[in-house]
Amino acid sequence: MATSAFDRDDLNRRRREEVLTTAARAFSRNGFANTSMDDVATSLKISKATLYRYFGSKQAILYECHIVSMQHGEAGLKLAEETEGSGLEKFLAYLRRYMQGAFGELGNLAMLTDVNSLPTEMREVVVKRRRNISHETDKLIEQGIADGTIRNCDPKIGKLFAMGVVNWIPAWFDAEGGRAAEDLVEAFIDLFINGFAADRS
């Protein structure tokens, strides 16, 4: 039976994801500068020529990792926008979705602070999208402060606290470590509630 175009596209998509996952782990473990395309190809047990069919350079892999990470944040912002309720509820919906991505195969990746290794055009795209996510996070916190469900705080400090938690997840999370990602997400949500919720007493 001939392979359909849909099947080929699906196979290519899954192989690209496998490359990204393997490369992301290597970047996080060894550092971007210390990881070569040879290293990634060896880990995947494929030739470097085959690897180049999916990504033309190491920088292209790093860029795609950034894109995947930012998509989690943007999905969280969209969910917050669609969530009915208070500012705190919207903020928690955003954080829950963002963390669910961070606990995934690619997550936010521990090496995503390495923006300067990207070519100029890629770097400008990443910086612009990250800046927008940061700005929208400020607005969610401000909305909660305004409606009285988030304690009065500096929104930028609150954002740095929340994003520090989310962005550090890939550096320590081990899927084989015995704690389910879903349980950890809810544990963090409980801590965020205690840290951000206004005192109703």
Side-chain angles (χ1 to χ4, degrees):
M1 181 182 296
T3 303
S4 68
F6 175 81
D7 289 336
R8 288 195 299 272
D9 289 344
D10 185 59
L11 179 61
N12 283 331
R13 177 187 60 78
R14 286 188 284 112
R15 284 180 174 170
R16 279 177 61 88
E17 289 177 353
E18 185 180 8
V19 171
L20 281 176
T21 301
T22 300
R25 288 172 178 166
F27 292 161
S28 295
R29 182 175 59 252
N30 304 319
F32 179 75
N34 296 324
T35 304
S36 68
M37 292 291 271
D38 282 318
D39 295 330
V40 177
T42 299
S43 296
L44 288 164
K45 298 181 173 59
I46 61 175
S47 68
K48 192 159 69 169
T50 299
L51 176 59
Y52 276 111
R53 286 172 48 196
Y54 299 103
F55 294 97
S57 67
K58 190 171 69 165
Q59 287 76 14
I61 297 176
L62 178 62
Y63 176 70
E64 191 67 20
C65 288
H66 275 283
I67 295 300
V68 170
S69 173
M70 291 184 297
Q71 286 171 342
H72 293 313
E74 290 162 348
L77 291 172
K78 185 174 186 298
L79 182 60
E81 184 180 353
E82 295 170 350
T83 297
E84 295 183 2
S86 67
L88 177 63
E89 289 168 329
K90 290 177 178 290
F91 183 52
L92 294 176
Y94 161 67
L95 289 173
R96 179 177 281 109
R97 172 61 184 85
Y98 210 161
M99 285 191 291
Q100 287 168 347
F103 279 113
E105 281 294 311
L106 288 173
N108 291 327
L109 310 177
M111 83 304 166
L112 282 186
T113 53
D114 195 351
V115 179
N116 292 329
S117 295
L118 294 170
T120 301
E121 289 185 6
M122 291 180 178
R123 183 168 64 249
E124 288 175 350
V125 171
V126 169
V127 168
K128 182 178 180 180
R129 286 177 66 172
R130 283 174 55 170
R131 185 181 296 126
N132 183 66
I133 292 170
S134 176
H135 178 65
E136 293 300 317
T137 304
D138 287 339
K139 287 170 61 176
L140 284 174
I141 298 175
E142 289 167 358
Q143 183 178 345
I145 294 172
D147 70 17
T149 55
I150 291 180
R151 67 174 60 193
N152 190 20
C153 65
D154 183 331
K156 289 183 170 50
I157 297 297
K159 172 192 63 186
L160 290 173
F161 166 70
M163 292 301 94
V165 171
V166 175
N167 290 328
W168 193 246
I169 287 170
W172 59 262
F173 177 62
D174 179 3
E176 306 300 324
R179 292 292 299 271
E182 295 83 0
D183 294 339
L184 289 168
V185 167
E186 295 311 314
F188 278 123
I189 287 294
D190 184 61
L191 291 171
F192 281 131
I193 291 172
N194 282 289
F196 282 95
D199 186 1
R200 293 294 186 177
S201 61

